[in-house]
Amino acid sequence: MIGLLIGDGNLPKVLIKKLEQKKTRFIAINLSKKKISKNFFYNFNISQFSKIVETLKKNKCKEVILAGKVTRPRIEDIKIDFSTLKILPKIILSLKKGDSHALDFVINYLNRINMKVVSCTKYLPELLAENFVNKFKLSKQDSRDIEKGKAILNHVNKKYDVGQSIIVNKGLVIGIEAAEGTDEMILKSSSIMKKINKKMPSGVLIKVPKKIQDLRVDLPTIGYDTIRNCIKICLLYTSPSPRDGLLS
């Protein structure tokens, strides 16, 4: 039995459809704001950690997959019961350190109770970015922009848990993803991009995994909305990491 922890976005829908087609048994813990009323779907808030674990145990889940965007809970929102109380200090510490550390805590906790966390790419290998890499030749400027973006992200995220995305255009850093997420960062960069581009598409969105993140649960993903927003602000290319990125 597979236990899905699903959030917002298109990826959970694609994953569920694939599992249904293969007639693979699963339950889904829905952590998004939109409630789902279907058999084998359970609606919880991400802060109800102990109830989520109990549901996975009750259904004898041996594998767990995290898919979709889930907002990290505030410490004051955590639902405290006896089970949660025992691990509360570790939960608080992980939340203070950032998203990657919070995900590491979840993975390690599930591993300790014999639930293996696996990547959604085990069941959706066709969504890996390497299957979509374009064969067109990049200009020298675009290649320099990509290398500069990767270097900045790797440097920043080596110590700080910031973001996965950056926009570089003609050597200029236009925006770096923070708490707002990739799509909001793209839209916030619109006015600067228009001044530089003058209606001629250029610039690159680079999205790469942080050095500290676990790729089983947090692959950099470029979805339909992200591509549409890139077109809207006249970004010429998107550059996900081929082996460590998803298109969904």
Side-chain angles (χ1 to χ4, degrees):
M1 178 70 79
I2 302 172
L4 307 181
L5 303 186
I6 60 173
D8 294 307
N10 195 48
L11 182 58
K13 298 174 187 175
V14 175
L15 178 59
I16 288 169
K17 185 176 180 180
K18 184 67 172 285
L19 294 176
E20 288 175 339
Q21 287 173 346
K22 285 182 165 287
K23 297 183 179 178
T24 303
R25 295 176 67 231
F26 70 90
I27 65 162
I29 307 289
N30 176 35
L31 303 174
S32 68
K33 294 177 181 178
K34 187 177 180 181
K35 302 303 178 187
I36 301 174
S37 299
K38 291 174 69 175
N39 288 336
F40 307 111
F41 280 70
Y42 302 83
N43 296 295
F44 288 115
N45 188 292
I46 185 60
S47 62
Q48 297 174 288
F49 186 70
S50 62
K51 287 191 176 182
I52 292 168
V53 172
E54 286 170 15
T55 303
L56 293 170
K57 284 182 177 179
K58 181 182 174 182
N59 286 276
K60 299 180 180 179
C61 295
K62 296 299 180 185
E63 283 189 348
V64 177
I65 301 174
L66 281 69
K69 184 178 179 180
V70 177
T71 303
R72 177 164 33 120
R74 298 179 304 171
I75 292 171
E76 58 266 33
D77 291 335
I78 297 171
K79 309 291 183 183
I80 300 175
D81 54 22
F82 182 71
S83 298
T84 305
L85 191 61
K86 292 187 289 185
I87 57 173
L88 189 60
K90 291 182 179 179
I91 292 176
I92 291 173
L93 182 62
S94 69
L95 290 173
K96 284 182 176 180
K97 288 184 175 181
D99 290 344
S100 295
H101 291 278
L103 287 170
D104 284 343
F105 168 79
V106 172
I107 292 168
N108 293 332
Y109 186 87
L110 292 174
N111 283 339
R112 286 200 300 272
I113 57 175
N114 298 316
M115 293 183 196
K116 185 179 180 182
V117 176
V118 300
S119 171
C120 65
T121 58
K122 178 178 179 179
Y123 299 95
L124 293 170
E126 64 272 21
L127 291 188
L128 278 169
E130 62 183 357
N131 297 317
F132 298 87
V133 174
N134 285 313
K135 304 301 181 183
F136 59 79
K137 188 176 180 180
L138 292 169
S139 70
K140 289 182 179 179
Q141 181 63 63
D142 294 325
S143 296
R144 286 196 294 268
D145 286 347
I146 289 171
E147 291 308 310
K148 182 172 184 175
K150 286 180 179 178
I152 292 170
L153 287 175
N154 288 335
H155 178 75
V156 171
N157 285 316
K158 190 174 182 180
K159 187 173 181 180
Y160 304 104
D161 189 355
V162 182
Q164 300 174 333
S165 303
I166 186 171
I167 295 174
V168 183
N169 191 356
K170 298 174 183 174
L172 299 174
V173 176
I174 307 301
I176 300 178
E177 178 190 356
E180 78 275 60
T182 303
D183 289 327
E184 286 299 318
M185 183 269 291
I186 293 169
L187 295 175
K188 279 178 15 181
S189 304
S190 176
S191 59
I192 303 173
M193 287 289 293
K194 285 177 181 177
K195 289 178 183 178
I196 297 173
N197 285 354
K198 296 177 181 177
K199 296 184 180 181
M200 290 295 292
S202 68
V204 188
L205 168 70
I206 301 104
K207 189 159 188 174
V208 296
K210 307 170 198 171
K211 296 296 184 183
I212 61 173
Q213 78 187 72
D214 192 309
L215 298 179
R216 287 174 294 176
V217 298
D218 196 14
L219 274 171
T221 303
I222 291 181
Y224 171 76
D225 287 342
T226 302
I227 293 172
R228 183 178 61 185
N229 288 332
C230 287
I231 294 170
K232 188 182 292 185
I233 71 166
C234 288
L235 259 177
L236 187 56
Y237 300 120
T238 60
S239 177
S241 178
R243 288 184 176 82
D244 300 327
L246 276 180
L247 292 174
S248 73

